[in-house]
Coordinates of all heavy atoms in Angstrom, one line a residue:
M1 N 7.2 -0.9 -11.0 CA 6.9 -0.5 -9.6 C 7.7 -1.4 -8.7 O 7.6 -2.6 -8.9 CB 5.4 -0.5 -9.4 CG 5.0 -0.1 -8.0 SD 3.2 -0.1 -7.7 CE 2.7 1.1 -8.8
S2 N 8.4 -0.9 -7.8 CA 9.2 -1.7 -6.9 C 8.4 -2.4 -5.8 O 7.2 -2.0 -5.5 CB 10.3 -0.9 -6.2 OG 9.7 0.0 -5.3
L3 N 8.9 -3.5 -5.3 CA 8.2 -4.1 -4.2 C 8.1 -3.2 -3.0 O 7.1 -3.3 -2.3 CB 9.0 -5.4 -3.8 CG 8.3 -6.3 -2.8 CD1 6.9 -6.7 -3.3 CD2 9.1 -7.5 -2.5
R4 N 9.1 -2.4 -2.8 CA 9.0 -1.4 -1.7 C 7.8 -0.5 -1.8 O 7.1 -0.3 -0.9 CB 10.3 -0.6 -1.6 CG 10.2 0.5 -0.5 CD 11.3 1.5 -0.7 NE 12.5 1.0 0.0 CZ 13.6 1.7 0.0 NH1 13.8 2.8 -0.6 NH2 14.7 1.2 0.7
L5 N 7.6 0.0 -3.0 CA 6.4 0.9 -3.3 C 5.1 0.1 -3.1 O 4.2 0.6 -2.5 CB 6.5 1.5 -4.7 CG 5.4 2.4 -5.1 CD1 5.2 3.6 -4.1 CD2 5.6 2.9 -6.5
M6 N 5.1 -1.1 -3.6 CA 3.8 -1.9 -3.4 C 3.6 -2.2 -2.0 O 2.4 -2.1 -1.5 CB 3.9 -3.2 -4.2 CG 3.9 -3.0 -5.7 SD 3.9 -4.5 -6.8 CE 4.7 -5.7 -5.9
A7 N 4.6 -2.5 -1.2 CA 4.4 -2.7 0.2 C 4.0 -1.5 0.9 O 3.1 -1.5 1.8 CB 5.7 -3.2 0.9
T8 N 4.5 -0.3 0.5 CA 4.1 1.0 1.1 C 2.6 1.2 0.8 O 1.9 1.7 1.7 CB 5.0 2.1 0.6 OG1 6.3 1.8 0.9 CG2 4.6 3.4 1.2
I9 N 2.2 1.0 -0.4 CA 0.8 1.1 -0.8 C -0.1 0.2 0.0 O -1.1 0.7 0.5 CB 0.6 0.9 -2.3 CG1 1.3 2.0 -3.1 CG2 -0.9 0.8 -2.7 CD1 1.4 1.7 -4.6
A10 N 0.3 -1.0 0.2 CA -0.5 -2.0 0.9 C -0.6 -1.5 2.4 O -1.7 -1.6 3.0 CB 0.1 -3.4 0.8
A11 N 0.5 -1.1 3.0 CA 0.5 -0.7 4.4 C -0.4 0.6 4.5 O -1.1 0.7 5.5 CB 1.9 -0.4 4.8
S12 N -0.3 1.5 3.5 CA -1.1 2.7 3.6 C -2.6 2.3 3.5 O -3.4 2.9 4.3 CB -0.8 3.6 2.4 OG 0.5 4.0 2.5
A13 N -3.0 1.4 2.6 CA -4.4 1.0 2.5 C -4.8 0.4 3.8 O -6.0 0.7 4.3 CB -4.5 0.0 1.4
L14 N -4.0 -0.5 4.4 CA -4.4 -1.1 5.7 C -4.6 0.0 6.8 O -5.5 -0.1 7.6 CB -3.4 -2.1 6.1 CG -3.4 -3.4 5.3 CD1 -2.2 -4.3 5.7 CD2 -4.7 -4.2 5.4
F15 N -3.6 0.9 6.8 CA -3.7 2.0 7.8 C -4.9 2.8 7.6 O -5.7 3.1 8.6 CB -2.4 2.9 7.7 CG -2.5 4.0 8.6 CD1 -2.1 3.9 9.9 CD2 -2.8 5.3 8.1 CE1 -2.2 5.0 10.8 CE2 -2.8 6.4 8.9 CZ -2.5 6.3 10.3
L16 N -5.2 3.2 6.4 CA -6.4 4.1 6.2 C -7.7 3.4 6.4 O -8.6 3.9 6.9 CB -6.3 4.7 4.7 CG -5.2 5.7 4.5 CD1 -5.0 6.0 3.1 CD2 -5.4 6.9 5.4
S17 N -7.8 2.1 6.0 CA -9.0 1.4 6.1 C -9.3 1.1 7.6 O -10.5 0.9 7.9 CB -9.0 0.1 5.3 OG -8.1 -0.8 5.8
G18 N -8.3 1.0 8.4 CA -8.6 0.7 9.8 C -9.0 1.9 10.7 O -9.4 1.7 11.8
K19 N -8.9 3.1 10.1 CA -9.2 4.3 10.9 C -10.6 4.8 10.7 O -11.0 5.8 11.3 CB -8.2 5.4 10.4 CG -6.8 5.2 10.9 CD -6.7 5.3 12.4 CE -5.3 5.2 12.9 NZ -5.2 5.3 14.3
T20 N -11.5 4.2 10.0 CA -12.8 4.7 9.8 C -13.8 3.5 10.0 O -13.5 2.4 10.0 CB -13.0 5.2 8.3 OG1 -12.9 4.1 7.4 CG2 -12.0 6.3 8.0
N21 N -15.1 3.9 10.1 CA -16.2 3.0 10.1 C -16.8 2.8 8.8 O -17.9 2.3 8.6 CB -17.2 3.4 11.2 CG -16.6 3.4 12.5 OD1 -15.8 2.5 12.8 ND2 -17.1 4.3 13.4
H22 N -16.2 3.3 7.7 CA -16.7 3.3 6.4 C -16.3 2.0 5.7 O -15.5 1.2 6.2 CB -16.2 4.5 5.6 CG -16.5 5.8 6.2 ND1 -17.8 6.2 6.4 CD2 -15.8 6.7 6.7 CE1 -17.8 7.4 7.0 NE2 -16.6 7.7 7.2
A23 N -16.9 1.8 4.5 CA -16.5 0.6 3.7 C -15.0 0.7 3.4 O -14.4 1.8 3.4 CB -17.3 0.7 2.4
P24 N -14.4 -0.5 3.1 CA -13.0 -0.5 2.8 C -12.7 0.4 1.6 O -13.5 0.6 0.7 CB -12.7 -1.9 2.4 CG -13.9 -2.7 2.9 CD -15.0 -1.8 3.0
I25 N -11.5 1.0 1.6 CA -11.1 1.9 0.5 C -11.0 1.1 -0.8 O -11.3 1.6 -1.9 CB -9.7 2.5 0.9 CG1 -10.0 3.5 2.1 CG2 -9.2 3.3 -0.3 CD1 -8.8 4.1 2.7
C26 N -10.5 -0.1 -0.8 CA -10.4 -0.9 -2.0 C -10.5 -2.4 -1.6 O -10.3 -2.7 -0.5 CB -9.1 -0.7 -2.8 SG -7.6 -1.2 -1.9
E27 N -11.0 -3.2 -2.5 CA -11.1 -4.6 -2.3 C -9.7 -5.3 -2.5 O -9.0 -5.0 -3.4 CB -12.1 -5.2 -3.3 CG -13.5 -4.7 -3.1 CD -14.1 -5.0 -1.7 OE1 -13.9 -6.1 -1.2 OE2 -14.7 -4.1 -1.2
L28 N -9.4 -6.2 -1.6 CA -8.2 -6.9 -1.7 C -8.4 -8.1 -2.7 O -9.5 -8.7 -2.7 CB -7.7 -7.5 -0.3 CG -7.4 -6.4 0.7 CD1 -7.1 -7.1 2.0 CD2 -6.3 -5.5 0.3
T29 N -7.4 -8.4 -3.4 CA -7.5 -9.4 -4.4 C -6.4 -10.4 -4.2 O -5.3 -10.1 -3.6 CB -7.4 -8.9 -5.8 OG1 -6.1 -8.2 -6.0 CG2 -8.5 -7.9 -6.2
P30 N -6.6 -11.7 -4.6 CA -5.5 -12.7 -4.4 C -4.3 -12.3 -5.4 O -4.5 -11.6 -6.3 CB -6.1 -14.0 -4.8 CG -7.3 -13.6 -5.6 CD -7.8 -12.3 -5.1
P31 N -3.1 -12.8 -5.1 CA -2.0 -12.5 -6.0 C -2.3 -12.9 -7.4 O -3.0 -13.9 -7.7 CB -0.9 -13.4 -5.4 CG -1.3 -13.7 -4.0 CD -2.8 -13.7 -4.0
A32 N -1.9 -12.0 -8.3 CA -2.2 -12.1 -9.8 C -1.2 -13.1 -10.5 O -1.5 -13.6 -11.5 CB -2.2 -10.8 -10.4
G33 N -0.1 -13.4 -9.9 CA 0.8 -14.3 -10.5 C 2.2 -13.7 -10.6 O 2.9 -13.6 -9.6
S34 N 2.6 -13.2 -11.8 CA 3.9 -12.7 -12.0 C 4.1 -11.4 -11.3 O 3.2 -10.7 -11.0 CB 4.2 -12.6 -13.5 OG 3.5 -11.5 -14.0
F35 N 5.4 -11.0 -11.2 CA 5.7 -9.7 -10.6 C 5.1 -8.5 -11.5 O 4.6 -7.6 -10.9 CB 7.2 -9.5 -10.6 CG 7.6 -8.2 -10.0 CD1 7.6 -8.0 -8.6 CD2 8.0 -7.1 -10.8 CE1 7.9 -6.7 -8.1 CE2 8.4 -5.9 -10.3 CZ 8.3 -5.7 -8.9
E36 N 5.1 -8.7 -12.8 CA 4.5 -7.7 -13.7 C 3.0 -7.6 -13.5 O 2.5 -6.5 -13.5 CB 4.9 -8.0 -15.2 CG 6.3 -7.9 -15.5 CD 7.2 -9.0 -15.0 OE1 6.7 -10.1 -14.7 OE2 8.4 -8.8 -14.9
E37 N 2.4 -8.7 -13.3 CA 0.9 -8.7 -13.1 C 0.6 -8.0 -11.7 O -0.3 -7.2 -11.6 CB 0.3 -10.1 -13.2 CG 0.4 -10.7 -14.5 CD 0.0 -12.2 -14.6 OE1 0.5 -12.9 -13.6 OE2 -0.6 -12.6 -15.5
E38 N 1.4 -8.4 -10.7 CA 1.2 -7.8 -9.4 C 1.4 -6.3 -9.5 O 0.7 -5.5 -8.8 CB 2.2 -8.4 -8.4 CG 1.7 -9.7 -7.9 CD 0.4 -9.6 -7.0 OE1 0.4 -8.8 -6.1 OE2 -0.5 -10.3 -7.4
S39 N 2.4 -5.8 -10.2 CA 2.7 -4.4 -10.4 C 1.5 -3.7 -11.0 O 1.1 -2.6 -10.6 CB 4.0 -4.2 -11.2 OG 5.1 -4.7 -10.5
A40 N 0.9 -4.3 -12.0 CA -0.3 -3.7 -12.7 C -1.4 -3.6 -11.7 O -2.1 -2.6 -11.6 CB -0.6 -4.5 -13.9
V41 N -1.7 -4.6 -10.9 CA -2.7 -4.6 -9.9 C -2.5 -3.5 -8.9 O -3.4 -2.8 -8.5 CB -2.9 -6.0 -9.2 CG1 -3.8 -5.9 -8.0 CG2 -3.4 -7.0 -10.3
A42 N -1.2 -3.5 -8.4 CA -0.9 -2.4 -7.4 C -1.1 -1.0 -7.9 O -1.6 -0.2 -7.2 CB 0.6 -2.6 -7.0
A43 N -0.8 -0.8 -9.2 CA -1.0 0.5 -9.8 C -2.5 0.9 -9.8 O -2.8 2.0 -9.5 CB -0.3 0.6 -11.2
R44 N -3.3 -0.1 -10.2 CA -4.7 0.2 -10.2 C -5.3 0.4 -8.8 O -6.1 1.3 -8.6 CB -5.5 -1.0 -10.9 CG -5.3 -1.0 -12.4 CD -6.3 -2.0 -13.0 NE -6.2 -3.4 -12.5 CZ -5.4 -4.3 -12.9 NH1 -4.6 -4.1 -13.9 NH2 -5.4 -5.5 -12.4
K45 N -4.9 -0.4 -7.9 CA -5.3 -0.2 -6.5 C -4.9 1.2 -6.0 O -5.6 1.9 -5.3 CB -4.8 -1.3 -5.6 CG -5.4 -2.7 -5.9 CD -6.9 -2.7 -5.7 CE -7.4 -4.1 -6.0 NZ -8.8 -4.2 -5.9
H46 N -3.7 1.6 -6.3 CA -3.2 2.9 -5.8 C -4.0 4.0 -6.3 O -4.4 4.9 -5.6 CB -1.7 3.0 -6.3 CG -1.1 4.3 -5.8 ND1 -0.7 5.3 -6.7 CD2 -0.8 4.7 -4.6 CE1 -0.2 6.3 -6.0 NE2 -0.2 6.0 -4.7
A47 N -4.4 3.9 -7.6 CA -5.3 4.9 -8.2 C -6.7 4.9 -7.5 O -7.2 6.0 -7.2 CB -5.5 4.7 -9.7
Q48 N -7.2 3.8 -7.2 CA -8.5 3.7 -6.5 C -8.4 4.3 -5.1 O -9.3 5.0 -4.7 CB -8.9 2.2 -6.3 CG -9.4 1.5 -7.6 CD -9.7 0.1 -7.4 OE1 -9.5 -0.5 -6.3 NE2 -10.1 -0.6 -8.4
I49 N -7.3 4.0 -4.4 CA -7.1 4.5 -3.1 C -7.1 6.1 -3.1 O -7.7 6.7 -2.3 CB -5.9 3.9 -2.4 CG1 -6.1 2.5 -2.1 CG2 -5.5 4.7 -1.1 CD1 -4.8 1.7 -1.7
L50 N -6.2 6.6 -4.0 CA -6.1 8.1 -4.1 C -7.4 8.7 -4.4 O -7.7 9.8 -3.9 CB -5.0 8.4 -5.1 CG -3.6 8.1 -4.7 CD1 -2.6 8.6 -5.8 CD2 -3.3 8.8 -3.4
T51 N -8.2 8.1 -5.3 CA -9.5 8.6 -5.6 C -10.5 8.7 -4.4 O -11.1 9.7 -4.2 CB -10.2 7.8 -6.8 OG1 -9.3 7.9 -7.9 CG2 -11.6 8.3 -7.1
K52 N -10.5 7.6 -3.7 CA -11.4 7.5 -2.5 C -11.0 8.4 -1.4 O -11.8 8.9 -0.6 CB -11.5 6.1 -2.1 CG -12.3 5.3 -3.1 CD -12.8 4.0 -2.5 CE -13.7 3.3 -3.5 NZ -14.2 2.0 -3.0
V53 N -9.7 8.7 -1.2 CA -9.3 9.5 -0.1 C -9.0 10.9 -0.5 O -8.4 11.7 0.2 CB -8.1 8.9 0.7 CG1 -8.4 7.5 1.3 CG2 -6.8 8.8 -0.2
H54 N -9.3 11.2 -1.8 CA -9.2 12.6 -2.3 C -7.7 13.0 -2.4 O -7.4 14.2 -2.0 CB -10.0 13.6 -1.5 CG -11.4 13.2 -1.4 ND1 -12.3 13.1 -2.5 CD2 -12.2 12.7 -0.3 CE1 -13.5 12.7 -2.1 NE2 -13.4 12.4 -0.8
G55 N -6.8 12.2 -2.8 CA -5.4 12.5 -3.0 C -4.5 12.0 -1.9 O -4.9 11.4 -1.0
A56 N -3.2 12.2 -2.2 CA -2.2 11.7 -1.3 C -2.2 12.6 0.0 O -2.5 13.8 0.0 CB -0.9 11.7 -1.9
Y57 N -1.8 11.9 1.1 CA -1.6 12.6 2.4 C -0.2 13.0 2.5 O 0.7 12.2 2.5 CB -2.0 11.7 3.5 CG -2.1 12.3 4.9 CD1 -3.1 13.2 5.2 CD2 -1.1 12.1 5.8 CE1 -3.2 13.8 6.4 CE2 -1.1 12.7 7.0 CZ -2.2 13.5 7.4 OH -2.2 14.1 8.6
D58 N 0.1 14.3 2.5 CA 1.5 14.8 2.4 C 1.9 15.1 3.9 O 1.7 16.2 4.4 CB 1.6 16.0 1.6 CG 3.0 16.5 1.4 OD1 3.9 15.7 1.5 OD2 3.2 17.7 1.1
N59 N 2.5 14.1 4.5 CA 3.1 14.3 5.8 C 4.4 13.5 5.9 O 4.4 12.3 5.9 CB 2.1 13.7 6.9 CG 2.6 13.8 8.3 OD1 3.7 13.5 8.6 ND2 1.7 14.3 9.2
P60 N 5.5 14.2 5.9 CA 6.8 13.5 5.9 C 7.0 12.5 7.0 O 7.6 11.4 6.8 CB 7.8 14.6 6.0 CG 7.1 15.8 5.6 CD 5.7 15.6 5.9
Y61 N 6.5 12.8 8.2 CA 6.7 11.8 9.3 C 5.9 10.5 9.0 O 6.4 9.4 9.2 CB 6.2 12.4 10.6 CG 6.3 11.5 11.8 CD1 7.5 11.1 12.4 CD2 5.1 10.8 12.2 CE1 7.6 10.2 13.4 CE2 5.2 9.9 13.2 CZ 6.4 9.6 13.8 OH 6.5 8.7 14.9
L62 N 4.6 10.7 8.6 CA 3.8 9.5 8.3 C 4.4 8.8 7.1 O 4.4 7.5 7.1 CB 2.4 10.0 8.0 CG 1.4 8.9 7.7 CD1 1.3 7.9 8.9 CD2 0.0 9.4 7.4
S63 N 4.8 9.5 6.1 CA 5.4 8.8 4.9 C 6.6 7.9 5.3 O 6.8 6.8 4.9 CB 5.8 9.8 3.9 OG 4.7 10.4 3.3
S64 N 7.4 8.5 6.2 CA 8.6 7.8 6.7 C 8.2 6.5 7.4 O 8.8 5.5 7.3 CB 9.5 8.7 7.5 OG 10.5 8.0 8.1
Y65 N 7.2 6.7 8.3 CA 6.7 5.6 9.1 C 6.2 4.5 8.2 O 6.5 3.3 8.4 CB 5.7 6.0 10.1 CG 5.0 4.9 10.8 CD1 5.6 4.2 11.8 CD2 3.7 4.5 10.5 CE1 5.0 3.1 12.5 CE2 3.1 3.5 11.1 CZ 3.7 2.8 12.1 OH 3.1 1.7 12.7
V66 N 5.3 4.8 7.3 CA 4.7 3.8 6.4 C 5.8 3.1 5.5 O 5.7 1.9 5.3 CB 3.6 4.5 5.5 CG1 3.1 3.5 4.4 CG2 2.4 4.9 6.4
T67 N 6.8 3.9 5.1 CA 7.9 3.3 4.3 C 8.6 2.3 5.2 O 8.9 1.2 4.7 CB 8.8 4.4 3.8 OG1 8.1 5.2 2.9 CG2 10.0 3.8 3.1
R68 N 8.9 2.6 6.4 CA 9.6 1.7 7.3 C 8.8 0.4 7.5 O 9.4 -0.7 7.5 CB 10.0 2.4 8.6 CG 11.1 3.4 8.6 CD 11.6 3.9 9.9 NE 10.6 4.1 10.9 CZ 10.0 5.3 11.1 NH1 10.3 6.3 10.4 NH2 9.1 5.5 12.1
V69 N 7.5 0.6 7.8 CA 6.7 -0.6 7.9 C 6.7 -1.4 6.7 O 6.8 -2.7 6.7 CB 5.2 -0.2 8.3 CG1 4.3 -1.4 8.3 CG2 5.2 0.4 9.7
G70 N 6.5 -0.8 5.5 CA 6.5 -1.5 4.3 C 7.8 -2.3 4.0 O 7.8 -3.4 3.5
E71 N 9.0 -1.7 4.4 CA 10.3 -2.3 4.2 C 10.3 -3.5 5.1 O 10.9 -4.6 4.7 CB 11.4 -1.3 4.5 CG 11.5 -0.3 3.4 CD 12.5 0.8 3.8 OE1 12.9 0.9 5.0 OE2 12.9 1.6 2.9
R72 N 9.8 -3.4 6.4 CA 9.9 -4.6 7.3 C 9.0 -5.7 6.8 O 9.4 -6.9 6.8 CB 9.4 -4.1 8.7 CG 10.5 -3.3 9.4 CD 10.0 -2.8 10.7 NE 9.8 -3.9 11.6 CZ 9.1 -3.9 12.7 NH1 8.5 -2.7 13.1 NH2 8.9 -4.9 13.5
V73 N 7.8 -5.4 6.2 CA 6.9 -6.4 5.7 C 7.6 -7.0 4.5 O 7.6 -8.3 4.3 CB 5.6 -5.7 5.3 CG1 4.7 -6.7 4.4 CG2 4.8 -5.3 6.5
A74 N 8.2 -6.2 3.6 CA 8.9 -6.8 2.4 C 10.0 -7.7 2.8 O 10.2 -8.8 2.3 CB 9.4 -5.7 1.5
K75 N 10.8 -7.3 3.8 CA 11.9 -8.1 4.3 C 11.5 -9.5 4.8 O 12.2 -10.5 4.6 CB 12.7 -7.3 5.3 CG 14.0 -8.0 5.8 CD 14.7 -7.3 6.9 CE 15.5 -6.1 6.3 NZ 16.3 -5.5 7.3
A76 N 10.3 -9.5 5.5 CA 9.8 -10.7 6.0 C 9.1 -11.6 5.0 O 8.7 -12.7 5.3 CB 8.9 -10.4 7.2
S77 N 8.9 -11.1 3.8 CA 8.1 -11.8 2.8 C 9.0 -12.8 2.1 O 10.2 -12.8 2.2 CB 7.5 -10.8 1.8 OG 8.4 -10.4 0.9
R78 N 8.4 -13.5 1.2 CA 9.1 -14.4 0.3 C 9.9 -13.7 -0.8 O 10.7 -14.3 -1.5 CB 8.2 -15.5 -0.3 CG 7.7 -16.5 0.7 CD 6.9 -17.6 0.1 NE 5.5 -17.0 0.0 CZ 4.6 -17.5 -0.8 NH1 4.8 -18.6 -1.5 NH2 3.4 -17.0 -0.8
M79 N 9.6 -12.4 -1.0 CA 10.2 -11.6 -2.0 C 10.8 -10.4 -1.4 O 10.3 -9.3 -1.6 CB 9.2 -11.3 -3.1 CG 8.7 -12.4 -3.9 SD 7.6 -12.1 -5.3 CE 7.1 -10.4 -5.1
P80 N 11.8 -10.5 -0.5 CA 12.3 -9.3 0.2 C 12.9 -8.2 -0.6 O 13.1 -7.1 -0.2 CB 13.4 -9.9 1.1 CG 13.8 -11.1 0.5 CD 12.6 -11.7 -0.3
D81 N 13.2 -8.5 -1.9 CA 13.8 -7.4 -2.7 C 12.7 -6.6 -3.4 O 12.9 -5.7 -4.1 CB 14.7 -8.0 -3.8 CG 14.0 -9.0 -4.7 OD1 13.0 -9.5 -4.3 OD2 14.5 -9.2 -5.8

């Protein structure tokens, strides 16, 4: 899983969790360590998020926006690739 995808997932989770008065969609965890471990954690969180929100939201405009935000976050991080 690429960093871009993980950043997109994180941005989506933040976006979705901020729009409701309900419990968070998923619990945030501290970094797991290696890139491979982080990828595994991201995949599990992605599955949890999709389960709680009843599937992916299919909106090309929103997807493009979230991708751009994720790319900006990734570029500003210590692992921009």
Side-chain angles (χ1 to χ4, degrees):
M1 182 179 297
S2 71
L3 186 58
R4 174 192 276 181
L5 180 57
M6 290 186 330
T8 301
I9 292 168
S12 298
L14 290 173
F15 175 80
L16 292 172
S17 67
K19 289 291 185 182
T20 67
N21 292 326
H22 304 296
I25 292 172
C26 68
E27 296 298 319
L28 298 178
T29 58
S34 72
F35 180 78
E36 291 76 19
E37 291 169 323
E38 279 295 307
S39 294
V41 170
R44 285 193 305 274
K45 294 295 182 184
H46 183 245
Q48 288 176 358
I49 291 167
L50 288 179
T51 298
K52 289 195 176 185
V53 299
H54 308 292
Y57 187 74
D58 186 25
N59 179 313
Y61 176 78
L62 181 59
S63 294
S64 174
Y65 171 74
V66 170
T67 297
R68 287 192 316 269
V69 170
E71 288 171 348
R72 288 178 61 198
V73 169
K75 186 184 279 187
S77 76
R78 290 183 278 165
M79 297 184 345
D81 59 338

